[in-house]
Amino acid sequence: MSNDFRQAALDYHSGPVPGKISIELTKPAETQADLALAYSPGVAEPCREIAADPEAAYRYTGKGNLVAVISNGTAVLGLGNLGSLASKPVMEGKALLFKRFAGINSVDIEVNTEDATSFIDTVANIADTFGGINLEDIKAPECFEIEAELGRRCSIPIFHDDQHGTAIVTAAGMINALEIQGKRLEDAVITCLGAGAAAIACMRLLLSMGARQENIYMLDRRGVIYAGREGVNTYKQEFVNNTDKRSLSDAVKGADVFVGLSGADLLSADMLLSMADRPVVFACSNPDPEIRPELAHSVRDDLILATGRSDYPNQVNNVLGFPFIFRGALDVRASAINEAMKIAAVKALSELAREPVPASVLSACGESELSFGPRYIIPKPVDPRLLERIAPAVARAAVDSGVSRIPYPEGYAPSMGAPR
């Protein structure tokens, strides 16, 4: 990071006021009469209604358009365990994205504990305040336990975006890339470098969409997770492969797909050359990918490459998913974001990339032309159609799978405002 960019980032966060989010009023508060309605004595009336029927909170408060972004700071970006307070800029940033892309009010909450039980209790005790909870930057394997237990204890969607947001966007791009390469997910041999939260969620979702367990080779810091290997935790056990492959070089040879969620420069040119014809490479380590795009394209001209960076084509960016997924979930008062809703988001995102790109998106991205192909397998984050495609697909899946509290709204068109 250059000194100029570093200073620009610090200036952005510090001025003209510190931070990235604020609170706005939705009701008039200018007169004595306004204040009598806003607070005592008028506020007693909605309190009574909610006490009689908790669902009335969606009518009389902002609960239905409010998401909490919650972290303990144990896995902040690629920076590691910085602690809860140092995670606050990231959580404020996530709140900014919720508002900017889906009109969802969001607040950040940093919980100062690394103890999973304490974290779970804290979040569960405040959950009813919100319409949904976005968990963020919590290290594995605790993140799996935390999300699962909160899902059992809470009646609102609990969504760990590092897992599922990454998985949804990755799966959408993967389906499109494989199609362009003339391959099918059901047949693809997939090497996944990384065995943390994002990697496990990505492989789980690909399995849900048709990938075959025996075709997935997952690697952690000790190499391939193979049958009989000692010291493999419960979550990695899901991806044990009965194989004699041990190293990344072994696992990537002949593979159709490489998914990297690990660290910089770990996929060599020779490894890339050893992959199958027309390979798909998702090198998503940030800020530095597992192989530099310039190197990858210099050694193979038949590959499709995606990274997590905005300065290269095919950016795998979670903002393509979570704002719109929550918009759809909130608008039907979903109690969870389940597998059906995730798959619906994948399909909507995948299909949108196949459509002509509006001039406004080209202009915003500084592009003269974008069309479905090796350099455009997934939509751009600034595409306004993301809201109108993903949110309804997610809302419909919530209704159809039985986790919504209200029917699918007649004539539903998601907006940047609160649900009615």
Side-chain angles (χ1 to χ4, degrees):
M1 182 182 294
S2 71
N3 286 335
D4 287 347
F5 185 83
R6 178 179 182 277
Q7 190 58 53
L10 293 173
D11 291 344
Y12 176 90
H13 284 80
S14 61
V17 295
K20 297 192 287 281
I21 58 175
S22 66
I23 292 174
E24 63 185 20
L25 302 183
T26 63
K27 300 292 190 294
E30 306 306 315
T31 68
Q32 189 71 20
D34 292 338
L35 298 181
L37 292 171
Y39 201 58
S40 183
V43 74
E45 299 311 319
C47 291
R48 291 187 181 105
E49 294 294 319
I50 295 167
D53 176 14
E55 288 295 299
Y58 287 95
R59 180 174 183 182
Y60 296 113
T61 77
K63 174 183 170 77
N65 196 46
L66 182 62
V67 167
V69 181
I70 306 183
S71 181
N72 64 359
T74 53
V76 180
L77 303 175
L79 304 174
N81 186 349
L82 299 186
S84 59
L85 185 59
S87 77
K88 187 173 178 65
V90 181
M91 303 312 121
E92 283 191 357
K94 203 69 177 258
L96 178 152
L97 297 173
F98 269 116
K99 189 69 171 180
R100 161 63 179 84
F101 289 103
I104 294 172
N105 298 322
S106 181
V107 295
D108 63 293
I109 298 173
E110 291 74 40
V111 182
N112 187 20
T113 181
E114 295 188 24
D115 179 72
T117 300
S118 177
F119 185 93
I120 290 164
D121 288 341
T122 299
V123 176
N125 287 336
I126 63 173
D128 280 350
T129 303
F130 308 101
I133 290 174
N134 184 112
L135 300 174
E136 193 80 12
D137 289 359
I138 303 169
K139 69 181 177 72
E142 290 86 347
C143 62
F144 300 113
E145 175 194 350
I146 286 168
E147 186 189 41
E149 182 60 23
L150 285 173
R152 285 187 285 269
R153 290 176 58 174
C154 302
S155 60
I156 59 172
I158 308 293
F159 187 82
H160 185 205
D161 191 50
D162 299 308
Q163 291 185 58
H164 310 301
T166 303
I168 287 163
V169 179
T170 298
M174 186 69 64
I175 288 168
N176 285 349
L178 286 169
E179 180 177 314
I180 293 165
Q181 298 289 61
K183 300 185 179 187
R184 300 190 322 143
L185 181 60
E186 293 82 354
D187 305 321
V189 175
I190 302 168
T191 299
C192 179
L193 181 59
I200 287 173
C202 283
M203 294 305 108
R204 283 174 172 172
L205 186 56
L206 290 177
L207 286 172
S208 293
M209 301 201 69
R212 292 163 57 192
Q213 182 91 32
E214 62 269 26
N215 285 347
I216 295 176
Y217 299 95
M218 181 176 282
L219 295 91
D220 61 12
R221 288 182 177 86
R222 295 167 53 205
V224 174
I225 299 171
Y226 60 87
R229 204 188 91 175
E230 296 181 355
V232 177
N233 68 36
T234 301
Y235 307 102
K236 295 179 186 180
Q237 282 286 349
E238 296 177 38
F239 295 96
V240 164
N241 193 304
N242 188 17
T243 179
D244 60 1
K245 299 178 187 289
R246 295 294 183 265
S247 67
L248 178 58
S249 296
D250 296 338
V252 82
K253 185 176 182 180
D256 299 291
V257 174
F258 170 85
V259 177
L261 293 156
S262 50
D265 301 322
L266 296 175
L267 182 71
S268 70
D270 286 342
M271 292 177 190
L272 178 58
L273 283 168
S274 76
M275 293 182 69
D277 291 342
R278 306 181 312 282
V280 173
V281 174
F282 277 45
C284 295
S285 174
N286 263 325
D288 300 313
E290 284 76 7
I291 186 167
R292 289 183 292 109
E294 296 83 358
L295 174 61
H297 288 297
S298 74
V299 299
R300 295 204 67 152
D301 60 7
D302 64 339
L303 86 160
I304 291 178
L305 177 67
T307 73
R309 292 176 54 144
S310 60
D311 52 347
Y312 293 108
N314 301 326
Q315 183 190 17
V316 178
N317 189 332
N318 286 20
V319 78
L320 291 166
F322 71 85
F324 320 110
I325 293 164
F326 269 96
R327 179 77 281 158
L330 291 174
D331 287 351
V332 293
R333 302 183 191 173
S335 60
I337 295 173
N338 60 22
E339 203 73 1
M341 295 160 74
K342 296 172 200 171
I343 291 172
V346 171
K347 291 179 177 177
L349 191 54
S350 170
E351 290 165 3
L352 181 56
R354 301 157 190 259
E355 299 183 16
V357 180
S360 61
V361 176
L362 295 176
S363 176
C365 296
E367 300 278 358
S368 59
E369 191 271 339
L370 285 172
S371 59
F372 185 59
R375 292 175 58 84
Y376 181 68
I377 61 172
I378 200 162
K380 297 291 187 179
V382 293
D383 195 325
R385 299 173 298 172
L386 289 163
L387 178 62
E388 63 191 51
R389 303 301 174 80
I390 297 175
V394 169
R396 173 62 71 185
V399 172
D400 290 347
S401 61
V403 298
S404 69
R405 290 187 178 86
I406 60 174
Y408 188 81
E410 185 176 351
Y412 175 51
S415 72
M416 293 290 286
R420 297 295 181 183

